[in-house]
Amino acid sequence: MGMKTKVALGAVVGIVVIGVVSASSGDNGDNGGKGGGTSAAADKNVGGSGDKAAGKGDDAAKSDAGDKGASKASQAEQFKAFVAKNGTPKEKDAVAHVLKVQGADQQNDILDSADVYTDFTGGLMGEGSGPSKLIASAFADWKDSKNGLVTVYDADGEIITNGNF
């Protein structure tokens, strides 16, 4: 590996470490001055044994989560509904080809990324090249992030386009 590659790789690793540290510093948790941190798993399990003692076991928690997910529309349906209400006629035509949206519901404004899967074919030079740019633009209208990237894929999983949101 050349010297420039090592420097670039070191810079990327440094940026990722800074991002992770800054993301975890926003927990607002107080360690009581003991100098030790808590893991993410420990934060999620705070009071977990209290739920079981109160008669609410893991099965009840899973069914509650399943009920919430069943009543909530998928990300693709939410995106299509937004464009149907606020989009231009060309954006509406383009978004009709959207099959699936992933990553739109979890954002932290550090490194947000979302994937939009369509039924277009041909990849970068295919039929969906123009409409996929409209899809990326409509996505940017729907979601807002300080540092977001939306990637639009064709039916074969090839990247058609991407854009900031």
Side-chain angles (χ1 to χ4, degrees):
M1 227 185 311
M3 185 64 170
K4 290 181 181 179
T5 305
K6 288 181 181 178
V7 170
L9 183 60
V12 170
V13 170
I15 290 171
V16 169
V17 168
I18 290 171
V20 169
V21 169
S22 66
S24 65
S25 67
D27 289 341
N28 293 333
D30 185 20
N31 295 332
K34 295 181 182 175
T38 59
S39 68
D43 290 341
K44 288 181 183 178
N45 291 329
V46 170
S49 61
D51 289 343
K52 289 181 183 177
K56 185 173 182 178
D58 289 335
D59 294 335
K62 287 179 184 177
S63 68
D64 290 345
D67 293 341
K68 290 178 185 176
S71 64
K72 189 171 127 178
S74 73
Q75 294 175 42
E77 292 169 349
Q78 293 172 12
F79 178 46
K80 287 180 177 182
F82 173 82
V83 173
K85 182 178 178 185
N86 302 310
T88 66
K90 288 187 178 188
E91 286 176 337
K92 292 175 185 177
D93 290 340
V95 170
H97 293 274
V98 171
L99 302 174
K100 183 178 182 180
V101 176
Q102 288 182 321
D105 59 345
Q106 298 176 351
Q107 295 183 358
N108 60 9
D109 286 338
I110 296 173
L111 293 174
D112 296 331
S113 65
D115 300 322
V116 178
Y117 297 92
T118 66
D119 60 1
F120 293 121
T121 57
L124 191 59
M125 301 301 289
E127 66 184 68
S129 180
S132 67
K133 292 178 183 177
L134 290 171
I135 292 170
S137 174
F139 190 91
D141 291 340
W142 180 48
K143 293 290 183 176
D144 190 32
S145 173
K146 292 179 183 177
N147 192 21
L149 179 70
V150 59
T151 305
V152 181
Y153 296 93
D154 72 358
D156 295 326
E158 295 182 35
I159 293 176
I160 302 175
T161 191
N162 55 25
N164 295 327
F165 70 93

